[in-house]
Amino acid sequence: MSSITIIGTGNMARAIGTRAVAGGNTVEVMGRDQSKAADLAKALGGGATTGEWGAVPAGDIVIVALLFDGVVPTVARYGDALAGKVIVDISNPFNSTFDGLAHQEQTSVAQEAAKVAPAGASVVKAFNTIFRQVLEKGRPVVFVAGDSAQAKADVAEFVKSLGLRPLDVGDLKMAHWLEGAGLVTVGLVGRGVGHWDFALGVDEFTG
Amino acid sequence: MSSITIIGTGNMARAIGTRAVAGGNTVEVMGRDQSKAADLAKALGGGATTGEWGAVPAGDIVIVALLFDGVVPTVARYGDALAGKVIVDISNPFNSTFDGLAHQEQTSVAQEAAKVAPAGASVVKAFNTIFRQVLEKGRPVVFVAGDSAQAKADVAEFVKSLGLRPLDVGDLKMAHWLEGAGLVTVGLVGRGVGHWDFALGVDEFTG
């Protein structure tokens, strides 16, 4: 059981929060709009609480569930309030045509967030290859990348509490390629798979 | 049933060739070392033939099964011999530490191969997320990217003849992200999955 704070009140915040409560985790919601945060906390139930935007989160794991261009400014805005926290970036920095990343460099939102995060905080990339509706109905694999083994272990424990399988893909620089995997996933919607009810996974052939 | 030429005599050439013959396709093998090509053709059986390095391939689909740094020079070397062919790049341009691509730019071996391919040829990226041993024993998903719908349809038909499921992820520029998906796959070997007997796939939740 983990103690998590979700920054954001949108679809992914709701989907992760719902599974988090169902998994027995302690959940706090923070939103720029305090009333939206309160509404989401109430909807989640399970004793979910509301925190003040920019204050020290109650959760040990802080899931930044914002559109990608809000992640780095928000981590910077929180600043020392995130000291010692595990910060989870779930964003997909797609360009306007959904066929490339918004940044041309070999970086990622997660890596950029790590640059502005306070000392003692660790950034982990996770959940970005999972569409909201899949999180609501299925048991997709959750790819995880980060530089801190302890932070990844904390996130892995949380992921397992959701009934999902965490899969460590490597260091935080792999977040760049997970963001690319997000692009592949979107590409598959209109092409190879033809619907939205799927997620990237792994097929094992150990038999 | 497709007519394919495999350029290369290594492990992936053998694995793809074996499944191709089993799937009833016509197979030609070309190698820099003609005797190795002849040995592989003989080992494949099924009437597999040997072609001369640099000559016009007999197959309509030409699978370049070489180490990544050999792909572009080989397509350039073949030049007009590849006119009208569907060229399949299966390579993974990993750096020496297997945690990044050998090129820093947002390109791919497939896109670079397309730049030197003759008029009328189409390049398709496929198979790069599949380890050789998985191709030998399992039924992994085959992600495919390319700019020509016809070329992708040709490759999809070939992939199906192998008993595998082709999944179109988009245009050839998605080859960059498929190469990144190759990195994710390698990252999973030592981390989240812990063995080599798997491939990236899709988990569908349509129930």
Side-chain angles (χ1 to χ4, degrees):
Chain A
M1 206 178 68
S2 307
S3 172
I4 71 161
T5 291
I6 300 172
I7 299 180
T9 57
N11 285 333
M12 279 299 284
R14 182 177 296 264
I16 291 175
T18 300
R19 285 193 91 123
V21 166
N25 300 284
T26 304
V27 177
E28 178 189 53
V29 180
M30 289 174 159
R32 282 192 198 85
D33 183 332
Q34 186 84 7
S35 68
K36 282 190 183 173
D39 288 348
L40 178 54
K42 188 176 174 187
L44 294 178
T49 60
T50 307
E52 189 186 345
W53 183 263
V56 175
D60 301 318
I61 297 175
V62 179
I63 299 170
V64 185
L66 301 172
L67 293 180
F68 79 86
D69 53 2
V71 175
V72 173
T74 299
V75 171
R77 160 72 181 82
Y78 270 74
D80 287 341
L82 295 174
K85 303 295 185 184
V86 174
I87 303 166
V88 180
D89 165 39
I90 69 169
S91 72
N92 274 312
F94 296 154
N95 65 14
S96 59
T97 46
F98 296 92
D99 61 354
L101 297 188
H103 45 77
Q104 287 295 307
E105 305 78 23
Q106 279 206 14
T107 186
S108 60
V109 173
Q111 287 162 283
E112 297 306 309
K115 290 176 185 170
V116 301
S122 296
V123 175
V124 171
K125 186 90 188 182
F127 290 104
N128 77 293
T129 57
I130 305 173
F131 300 127
R132 183 256 308 165
Q133 65 271 34
V134 168
L135 201 57
E136 289 171 354
K137 69 196 284 187
R139 293 191 174 275
V141 161
V142 180
F143 296 109
V144 176
D147 286 338
S148 161
Q150 183 58 57
K152 284 195 284 193
D154 292 346
V155 172
E157 184 188 344
F158 170 63
V159 168
K160 287 177 188 169
S161 82
L162 309 184
L164 306 178
R165 181 185 182 195
L167 286 179
D168 183 354
V169 305
D171 296 341
L172 195 61
K173 67 180 167 187
M174 291 301 292
H176 177 72
W177 303 111
L178 286 184
E179 292 178 357
L183 282 170
V184 169
T185 309
V186 168
L188 287 166
V189 172
R191 311 270 190 146
V193 176
H195 60 76
W196 291 81
D197 294 332
F198 74 97
L200 285 187
V202 297
D203 295 323
E204 295 188 74
F205 306 99
T206 50
Chain B
M1 207 178 66
S2 308
S3 172
I4 70 161
T5 292
I6 299 172
I7 299 180
T9 58
N11 285 333
M12 278 300 283
R14 182 177 297 263
I16 292 175
T18 300
R19 285 193 91 124
V21 166
N25 300 283
T26 303
V27 177
E28 178 189 53
V29 180
M30 289 175 159
R32 281 191 198 84
D33 182 334
Q34 186 83 7
S35 68
K36 282 190 184 174
D39 287 348
L40 177 55
K42 189 177 173 188
L44 294 178
T49 59
T50 308
E52 189 186 345
W53 183 263
V56 175
D60 300 321
I61 297 174
V62 179
I63 299 170
V64 185
L66 301 173
L67 293 181
F68 80 86
D69 53 1
V71 175
V72 172
T74 299
V75 171
R77 159 73 181 81
Y78 271 75
D80 287 341
L82 295 174
K85 301 295 185 186
V86 174
I87 303 165
V88 180
D89 165 39
I90 68 169
S91 71
N92 273 313
F94 296 154
N95 66 13
S96 58
T97 47
F98 296 92
D99 60 355
L101 296 188
H103 46 76
Q104 287 295 306
E105 306 77 23
Q106 280 206 14
T107 185
S108 59
V109 173
Q111 287 162 283
E112 297 305 309
K115 290 177 185 170
V116 300
S122 295
V123 174
V124 171
K125 186 89 188 184
F127 291 104
N128 77 293
T129 57
I130 306 173
F131 300 127
R132 182 256 308 166
Q133 65 270 34
V134 168
L135 201 57
E136 288 171 354
K137 67 196 287 186
R139 293 189 174 276
V141 161
V142 180
F143 296 110
V144 176
D147 287 337
S148 161
Q150 184 59 55
K152 285 195 284 193
D154 292 347
V155 171
E157 184 189 343
F158 170 64
V159 168
K160 287 177 188 168
S161 82
L162 309 185
L164 307 178
R165 181 184 180 193
L167 286 178
D168 183 353
V169 305
D171 296 341
L172 194 62
K173 67 180 168 188
M174 290 301 293
H176 176 73
W177 303 111
L178 286 183
E179 292 178 357
L183 282 171
V184 169
T185 308
V186 168
L188 287 166
V189 172
R191 311 268 192 147
V193 176
H195 61 76
W196 291 81
D197 293 333
F198 74 97
L200 284 188
V202 296
D203 295 325
E204 295 188 74
F205 306 99
T206 51

